[in-house]
Amino acid sequence: MKAEEFLKGRGAQYNPANPYLKQEYVAEHIEGLDEAMLSNSKTEFFAEHPKKIVNKVESPDLGLSYSMNPYQGCEHGCVYCYARNSHQYWGYGAGLDFERKIIVKENAPEVLARQLENQKWQVMPIMLAGNTDCYQPIEAKKQLTRRMLEVLLQYRHPVSIITKNALILRDLDLLQELNKLDLVHVNISITTLDEKLRQKLEPRTATGARRLQVVKQLADAGIPVNVMVAPIIPGLNDSEIPAIIKSAAEAGASSAAYTIVRLNGSIGPIFEDWIREAFPDRADKVLNQIADCHGGQLNDSRFGTRMRGEGKFAEAINKLFHMSRNRYMAGRSMKTYNYKHFCTRAGIQMDLF
């Protein structure tokens, strides 16, 4: 692909075959040319009405919690996103389809309320969202995330939100009410402060500077904010770790965490195609360093090591992160959740009557 053919506003630059489908659509050139036919078509939205919205997280790397996602697929187009593989279960591709075919779970707030009513429900923090960004652009219209926060407030249930979109500030009123009961943590993902890199790596997200403003506005309102320096891509953004943590600390963040990129399934070829087009001069270096962090492979599914990596580059990243956090965020931490406020039966606390 030539530079002028780079699909502007998209992370993935092609749509790999879905391994779960026996047939696939292909472009047949009348001229018989063996060339890709790519088009940057508009984003489409599809309504879905699931019977369940909250799933228990079984991964030992993440601890005991739940996850819920009002949207499947993500307009942000982050090329490295681990959620791309899950789009294949819906019959779509992990590449361009993930960014332009968005599934909207229209009844998510109602389903959430029903699940919280279950007598066997065990109270643990719910990650909103653990897969795709709950504040991606379509949320401005659908407001599913806001309505889900209203349900969580009604039931006094703890929630942990992760996003890279400034749209979260729209719901500051609800976040403040949840925070009065110690029921909310917010995680803002900041991958880079280099705007030229962000435009290619995360094309439809808020700028790094805007995300720092979000951190400051939330922190000024008393909301506990954790900054996710994630994913760290060795050879691409690892040198920014100190600057990101320093800026986050100055904005009032309570803590910081990180993960190292891993390119499982279809994400590997999508990322490799992207970096060879976006940064051909450093593509081999980046790919080799990522592989060095994961036992010689781009992918890594091993619990305990997949999020942090191993080897010399992973160790250097770990040391740089902790030195930076100790320097700029010493003594800070996220406050603990309060589980005692949870109430069932449509949010009515029985001991009040």
Side-chain angles (χ1 to χ4, degrees), residues 181-197:
L181 300 171
D182 296 331
L183 295 175
V184 65
H185 288 176
V186 173
N187 303 272
I188 301 298
S189 174
I190 302 179
T191 314
T192 179
L193 298 177
D194 181 341
E195 182 57 11
K196 290 183 178 179
L197 174 58

Side-chain angles (χ1 to χ4, degrees), residues 20 29-30 44 50 102 123 133 143-144 147 150 187 209 250 274 293 332:
Y20 302 107
H29 292 265
I30 298 176
E44 299 177 272
I102 311 300
V123 180
D133 202 312
Q143 298 196 26
L144 292 178
R147 290 169 54 202
E150 290 173 342
N187 303 272
E250 292 172 348
W274 170 83
C293 292
R332 302 190 192 188

Side-chain angles (χ1 to χ4, degrees), residues 318-333:
N318 182 277
K319 289 180 181 179
L320 181 60
F321 173 83
H322 283 93
M323 286 175 59
S324 301
R325 190 174 66 177
N326 291 339
R327 179 176 182 182
Y328 298 115
M329 290 189 174
R332 302 190 192 188
S333 63

Side-chain angles (χ1 to χ4, degrees), residues 258-272:
Y258 83 97
T259 61
I260 289 180
V261 71
R262 58 191 181 95
L263 306 172
N264 287 13
S266 295
I267 307 169
I270 290 171
F271 184 89
E272 182 170 358

Side-chain angles (χ1 to χ4, degrees), residues 114-168:
R114 286 203 301 269
Q115 287 193 251
L116 296 181
E117 288 283 337
N118 192 312
Q119 293 182 352
K120 296 182 180 180
W121 182 260
Q122 181 182 0
V123 180
M124 292 185 292
I126 299 177
M127 288 191 294
L128 178 65
N131 202 30
T132 57
D133 202 312
C134 58
Y135 282 106
Q136 59 180 286
I138 187 60
E139 167 62 19
K141 177 181 178 181
K142 290 295 183 179
Q143 298 196 26
L144 292 178
T145 297
R146 180 173 178 83
R147 290 169 54 202
M148 294 173 86
L149 289 176
E150 290 173 342
V151 171
L152 292 169
L153 178 59
Q154 179 185 16
Y155 285 84
R156 310 296 193 262
H157 197 286
V159 61
S160 177
I161 305 168
I162 182 166
T163 184
K164 55 188 65 172
N165 197 320
L167 183 58
I168 189 174

Side-chain angles (χ1 to χ4, degrees), residues 1-8 13 35-36 38 40 277:
M1 183 184 297
K2 298 178 181 179
E4 62 268 19
E5 295 174 336
F6 197 89
L7 300 181
K8 186 176 181 180
Q13 296 298 299
E35 296 179 353
L38 297 175
N40 196 0
E277 301 299 337

Side-chain angles (χ1 to χ4, degrees), residues 234 286-298 302 309-315:
V286 171
L287 292 169
N288 289 336
Q289 289 188 10
I290 292 174
D292 186 87
C293 292
H294 299 295
Q297 304 293 325
L298 293 178
R302 299 170 296 168
E310 59 185 1
K312 59 181 181 180
F313 290 113
E315 291 176 4

